[in-house]
Amino acid sequence: MEILTYLIPVSLLLGGIGLAAFFWAMKTKQFDDPTGDANRILTKDWDDKPKP
């Protein structure tokens, strides 16, 4: 049972680090998709050069 005195704070610390990383990713707009990659896969336009 004394192992819980180590495991609980470590799990809370790791959860906090994961939550902080998620909020950092949201703040730096890592999940924004202004060009619509999800819709671009459905179009019939095939181009070999990236758009400017």
Side-chain angles (χ1 to χ4, degrees):
M1 286 303 275
E2 55 189 59
I3 191 70
L4 291 177
T5 59
Y6 298 112
L7 290 179
I8 291 173
V10 168
S11 66
L12 289 174
L13 178 70
L14 289 175
I17 290 172
L19 188 63
F22 173 73
F23 283 130
W24 171 80
M26 292 296 290
K27 182 181 168 188
T28 58
K29 299 180 181 180
Q30 295 287 323
F31 301 114
D32 283 350
D33 186 13
T35 56
D37 288 333
N39 292 331
R40 194 177 319 138
I41 197 170
L42 300 174
T43 63
K44 300 290 183 191
D45 298 333
W46 294 94
D47 56 349
D48 294 330
K49 295 180 273 186
K51 295 179 182 177

